[in-house]
Amino acid sequence: QAGEFTGTNVDDISVSGTDADVISKSALSYIQNNYAEQLAALGDNYTVSSRLVLSEQTANDLASDVKEAFSSCAPDATVGKYYDISVQADVLQDGNVVEGLGSLTVPALDSEIQLSVNIPADLKKDGRSFMMLHYHNGKGTVLESSVTNDTITFKTSAFSPYAIAYKDAVSTTQSNSAAQNTSVKNTQSTAPKNTQSTAPKTGDEVSGMLPAVAAVISFCVLAAAVYMRKRHCR
């Protein structure tokens, strides 16, 4: 028995030669451990042929818990593309696929490998950063990745739903506008809500006081005249 790796189903995903060997050996080991009875009937005259398969998916193709897990692990990012990445294997005898042993899914590898996926042209934009998300065992994870020459590269050993997500850079104009809005809100929040102003007295208020002042002066003059007349009579 032997294991072989035949490549990828599309050009949008690639793997190094060294990691291809990891895939072929892991696929052979998985098939031998999980299909022992079927293989026993073949003797040693068989080959396990494996390949790396990438399929684009839409949001409608995914269960709601998978989409929620992606959103939760990268709340500030936008998912641009969903993928299903898998390793599939065929058991071959005399160059033909053995009935019942074709397109078998290998869920995990014996060790991590490095994969590179092309970033779709419609997602590319100046100032945009990308990340690879992975859903596994009911949990979403942001994988450590790097972007070079329009491809995103990451390490993995398990196969299930993946997604490319992105964040757009905030422009200087947007930053300044946000800062100004924050400053205005802070000023409004610190201003006293109930204020009373004391207005200066106006000319109308002063003129309204003149009759009262004149009456007081007239009374004083009259009182003085009466007093003087009484003294004169004495």
Side-chain angles (χ1 to χ4, degrees):
Q1 67 274 12
E4 63 177 12
F5 178 73
T6 60
T8 62
N9 68 320
V10 292
D11 293 334
D12 288 331
I13 188 170
S14 59
V15 61
S16 70
T18 301
D19 288 334
D21 289 339
V22 173
I23 293 175
S24 64
K25 291 177 181 178
S26 297
L28 176 61
S29 175
Y30 175 79
I31 298 301
Q32 288 177 333
N33 290 333
N34 290 275
Y35 297 89
E37 291 186 13
Q38 294 92 319
L39 296 179
L42 303 177
D44 292 335
N45 183 27
Y46 69 85
T47 299
V48 175
S49 176
S50 57
R51 59 192 175 278
L52 187 63
V53 178
L54 178 144
S55 302
E56 292 188 8
Q57 295 188 310
T58 67
N60 293 331
D61 297 325
L62 296 169
S64 58
D65 58 332
V66 177
K67 291 181 286 188
E68 290 172 3
F70 282 145
S71 298
S72 297
C73 71
D76 297 331
T78 301
V79 174
K81 186 72 69 176
Y82 294 104
Y83 295 103
D84 179 75
I85 300 175
S86 64
V87 170
Q88 296 182 6
D90 297 325
V91 177
L92 306 176
Q93 188 173 49
D94 299 328
N96 300 313
V97 177
V98 177
E99 184 177 356
L101 296 178
S103 297
L104 304 175
T105 299
V106 180
L109 304 179
D110 297 336
S111 60
E112 282 190 331
I113 61 172
Q114 183 170 280
L115 299 178
S116 295
V117 175
N118 293 344
I119 298 172
D122 59 345
L123 295 184
K124 298 174 186 176
K125 182 180 178 181
D126 290 342
R128 178 170 286 181
S129 58
F130 294 91
M131 65 189 76
M132 181 63 74
L133 312 181
H134 182 209
Y135 178 83
H136 187 61
N137 292 333
K139 182 181 178 182
T141 305
V142 179
L143 299 179
E144 183 177 346
S145 57
S146 60
V147 176
T148 306
N149 297 328
D150 298 330
T151 65
I152 184 166
T153 301
F154 56 97
K155 291 183 178 181
T156 188
S157 61
F159 298 95
S160 41
Y162 288 82
I164 290 181
Y166 62 84
K167 292 182 181 180
D168 287 325
V170 178
S171 67
T172 304
T173 301
Q174 290 175 322
S175 299
N176 292 338
S177 177
Q180 289 174 358
N181 290 336
T182 301
S183 177
V184 170
K185 290 179 180 179
N186 290 339
T187 301
Q188 291 174 342
S189 64
T190 57
K193 295 182 179 180
N194 297 318
T195 58
Q196 294 180 346
S197 60
T198 303
K201 292 183 178 181
T202 65
D204 290 340
E205 292 176 332
V206 174
S207 63
M209 296 173 62
L210 290 178
V213 174
V216 173
I217 293 174
S218 297
F219 176 78
C220 292
V221 171
L222 180 59
V226 171
Y227 175 75
M228 292 300 293
R229 182 177 296 179
K230 287 181 179 181
R231 287 191 61 185
H232 180 71
C233 291
R234 290 177 186 175

